[in-house]
Amino acid sequence: MAHSSVDQEGAVPRARHAGEPGAESEAEGGRSARRRSGGRRRRPEPGSPKPKRRILRWSALTLAVVILGTAGAAYLYYEHLNANIQKDKLNLGDSDVPEATPNAAGQTPLNVLLIGSDSRNSAADVALGGAKQEAGRPGLADVQMLVHVSADRTNMSVVSLPRDTEIPIPRCTDPHNGHKYPALSLAMANESLARGGPGCTVATWQKLTNIHIDHFMMVDFSGVVDMADAIGGVPVCVKQNVWSHTSSGHGSGLKLKKGTTYVKGEQALQWLRTRYGFEDGTDLGRTHAQHMYMNAMVRQLREKATLDNPGAMRDLAETATKALKVDEGLGTIKKLYDLSEEFKRVPTKRITMTTLPTVEWSQDKDRLVPAPQDADQLISMVRDDTPLDGRGVKKKAEEKAKTPADPDGRIAVQVRNGTGTDGQAPAQQRALAVVQILQGKGFARAAADSTPASQAKTTVLYPSADLEGDAQAVAQALGVPLKQVQKSTDVSGVTLLVGADWRTGTAYKAPSQPTKAPTSAAVLPGDQKGACMEVQKGFTW
């Protein structure tokens, strides 16, 4: 069974260090293999690609040899790069979300949270943005992007969260001083980073999406500048001359001529931070500009990070390891390299950049909240590993259910009425009606639970692995798809949340599954090179 970890079977094999058991030079290993096979090279299988055309899979240490030329120096450089990498805890919340159920081939998706911090923890960061008195304050997560690589590695979905979005933030514990931050029912999304570090941002995303996040990667102001410089600039485009500047001193200071410009250094940072000057001057425009930048940077990295350009690879390796803070599971150059190989397996044309659909918050016109239906649709598609581009969608076979631990008549089921969503009042006595349906199917211990709930889609929750089979038995009896059976620490036993999709009737009808992201998600395909930002009225020159 394959796992979502980048250090998995099928990933790039670890290069052996001198002195390790089984270590030998590539040449010696090749001679040994030929002696065992009678000295003859095996012919390629009919139709197989020629060796020169094969995609080479190099370990991180082998890449260091290519860059520096000698094994001894390469090993020292490899250890040097490892020492550059900053690490932190993956999840600082009180609860976790289980990994997705493997598909028929035993594959699971890979979810990585990208975080852009506005930290002023260094002189370089302070020089690039903010007042001097802000030096040392906890950073805010001004850029948040969930990168979802499909289980079969054929497509990638990227979901951005505008920093001005109001969402719940769970309780988090700072790993460095033990300080406990209480849960917030609603707060600006970027505040999560200041509540213990990137692990709190991970916990916040897991609470928002119910998607298991495998890793995070975080970069600050100066890191963005250094990365842009290392790849020689990132091409971006504006439809008119733009100058992000107001008479009151607001704006990023970005000043570009109409057309395409390769931005690097401070200009690259200005592009990513620009709000006043793009589209309607809201955080959504800034998010769309960030998508354009990320698409272009991915293309630049794929063009320049090649084996025949060791100088560029060395610069990128040095810059990236100094710029990034990652979770402990990504804390070596080998694991970072393996992760990049997973990303590279996805064709550029199958990368889909989106923004979580939002609407204006009723209590503050300068704040946003997730759009109830479209945001739910986008998140559920990612959670269900459905491509957002509408290409290559195949009907998935229903997963095989686990055998329940108890007979139906002995399974205790709590039923909650969660039908009150999107401004609708809860359907009266709905929990009791579904209890009677379950009892009629043999679940004698089904009972109504008056705990308040609000759920768009009918879901069966269970608190621990030993109850998963029981929860699946309940779902199958009612016709609820198994992907709507989820582990949750918010319940103490098998719990059925009757959603707004089952307000009436005795039989549950599963809603049709969307095959494409909603238009409000502002989809930008990864291979779209002609994207160009609209300039806000009053910000041209």
Side-chain angles (χ1 to χ4, degrees):
M1 179 182 298
H3 300 286
S4 60
S5 169
V6 295
D7 196 13
Q8 61 182 345
E9 183 180 355
V12 182
R14 183 175 71 86
R16 297 186 182 275
H17 300 162
E20 284 189 12
E24 59 183 5
S25 70
E26 183 180 351
E28 188 63 33
R31 286 194 294 272
S32 298
R34 287 195 293 276
R35 282 197 293 271
R36 290 191 293 271
S37 62
R40 293 187 298 274
R41 294 182 182 271
R42 193 185 340 182
R43 291 185 177 181
E45 295 293 330
S48 64
K50 295 181 180 180
K52 289 184 179 180
R53 293 185 180 178
R54 289 176 182 163
I55 298 176
L56 302 178
R57 292 179 174 269
W58 300 81
S59 72
L61 184 54
T62 305
L63 276 175
V65 174
V66 172
I67 293 172
L68 297 181
T70 65
Y75 177 70
L76 292 176
Y77 185 61
Y78 173 77
E79 292 301 311
H80 162 73
L81 292 177
N82 280 340
N84 283 346
I85 302 170
Q86 301 178 67
K87 298 177 283 291
D88 216 329
K89 296 288 185 181
L90 173 63
N91 187 345
L92 302 182
D94 292 337
S95 61
D96 199 3
V97 176
E99 291 186 33
T101 302
N103 62 16
Q107 304 163 310
T108 52
L110 176 63
N111 295 298
V112 181
L113 187 63
L114 304 183
I115 305 170
S117 165
D118 77 341
S119 168
R120 270 79 170 180
N121 287 331
S122 70
D125 288 335
V126 173
L128 289 169
K132 291 183 179 180
Q133 59 266 29
E134 290 186 308
R137 71 153 170 80
L140 299 174
D142 277 1
V143 179
Q144 299 180 45
M145 296 182 180
L146 177 62
V147 178
H148 171 89
V149 186
S150 65
D152 60 10
R153 303 303 191 256
T154 62
N155 65 88
M156 179 189 296
S157 303
V158 182
V159 180
S160 288
L161 180 64
R163 72 171 190 176
D164 292 341
T165 308
E166 297 280 333
I167 57 174
I169 296 180
R171 175 183 176 185
C172 292
T173 302
D174 191 316
H176 306 293
N177 59 25
H179 180 73
K180 297 184 184 300
Y181 293 88
L184 300 175
S185 59
L186 218 54
M188 272 182 61
N190 66 350
E191 293 181 19
S192 61
L193 185 62
R195 300 170 67 80
C200 190
T201 305
V202 168
T204 300
W205 270 83
Q206 291 196 157
K207 182 175 181 62
L208 176 69
T209 65
N210 202 34
I211 294 172
H212 176 81
I213 294 177
D214 302 287
H215 302 289
F216 74 77
M217 302 174 70
M218 185 171 77
V219 63
D220 61 13
F221 282 167
S222 56
V224 169
V225 170
D226 292 342
M227 286 293 291
D229 289 348
I231 59 176
V234 176
V236 295
C237 178
V238 289
K239 292 184 178 180
Q240 302 90 20
N241 294 348
V242 63
W243 187 17
S244 179
H245 174 76
T246 70
S247 58
S248 59
H250 290 93
S252 69
L254 179 72
K255 192 173 186 179
L256 295 177
K257 290 184 178 181
K258 173 184 176 180
T260 299
T261 303
Y262 277 74
V263 295
K264 57 182 179 179
E266 185 175 357
Q267 206 171 45
L269 178 63
Q270 289 174 334
W271 177 275
L272 293 171
R273 297 180 65 202
T274 294
R275 170 177 175 172
Y276 298 100
F278 286 153
E279 296 182 352
D280 59 356
T282 69
D283 202 35
L284 293 177
R286 171 164 45 204
T287 303
H288 300 160
Q290 290 168 356
H291 287 170
M292 183 188 298
Y293 182 95
M294 291 293 291
N295 273 351
M297 187 171 71
V298 167
R299 291 193 295 268
Q300 287 292 96
L301 286 169
R302 291 195 176 196
E303 291 173 7
K304 297 200 173 187
T306 58
L307 294 175
D308 59 357
N309 192 350
M313 293 187 70
R314 182 176 60 249
D315 291 344
L316 284 170
E318 190 72 37
T319 301
T321 53
K322 287 181 178 179
L324 293 174
K325 176 177 282 189
V326 301
D327 65 276
E328 294 166 327
L330 280 182
T332 68
I333 188 65
K334 178 191 181 304
K335 290 179 179 179
L336 285 170
Y337 178 76
D338 289 347
L339 177 64
S340 72
E341 286 294 289
E342 294 294 307
F343 286 171
K344 285 169 64 177
R345 290 171 63 182
V346 180
T348 305
K349 66 181 180 181
R350 296 302 310 281
I351 299 174
T352 307
M353 309 287 292
T354 64
T355 302
L356 187 74
T358 54
V359 294
E360 185 180 292
W361 189 27
S362 59
Q363 298 183 33
D364 187 341
K365 64 181 181 62
D366 291 327
R367 297 287 182 263
L368 306 167
V369 290
Q373 293 183 337
D374 286 1
D376 288 344
Q377 176 184 328
L378 183 68
I379 289 172
S380 65
M381 290 182 71
V382 175
R383 187 169 51 238
D384 295 340
D385 202 23
T386 302
L388 299 182
D389 58 7
R391 293 186 279 184
V393 178
K394 297 179 181 178
K395 187 175 181 180
K396 298 181 180 180
E398 180 73 352
E399 298 159 356
K400 184 178 180 180
K402 291 187 177 181
T403 302
D406 290 315
D408 293 352
R410 295 179 59 188
I411 296 176
V413 188
Q414 296 295 311
V415 182
R416 296 179 185 174
N417 183 356
T419 57
T421 63
D422 297 338
Q424 296 185 92
Q428 294 297 313
Q429 303 296 314
R430 189 58 185 154
L432 183 59
V434 176
V435 164
Q436 293 171 349
I437 295 170
L438 279 169
Q439 291 176 343
K441 293 179 178 293
F443 291 86
R445 297 185 62 193
D449 181 350
S450 60
T451 303
S454 178
Q455 186 81 5
K457 188 185 297 183
T458 297
T459 308
V460 184
L461 304 178
Y462 61 95
S464 54
D466 59 307
L467 292 177
E468 182 176 6
D470 291 355
Q472 290 180 339
V474 172
Q476 288 191 310
L478 297 173
V480 176
L482 290 186
K483 63 186 175 183
Q484 291 168 225
V485 177
Q486 300 168 7
K487 184 178 179 182
S488 172
T489 56
D490 293 335
V491 297
S492 57
V494 176
T495 302
L496 171 65
L497 293 183
V498 183
D501 59 348
W502 194 20
R503 292 177 60 86
T504 60
T506 59
Y508 178 74
K509 182 179 180 181
S512 59
Q513 296 302 307
T515 58
K516 202 169 184 178
T519 55
S520 59
V523 173
L524 179 64
D527 59 349
Q528 185 173 329
K529 295 183 179 181
C532 214
M533 286 300 296
E534 188 72 43
V535 175
Q536 184 183 2
K537 185 177 180 180
F539 287 85
T540 58
W541 57 278

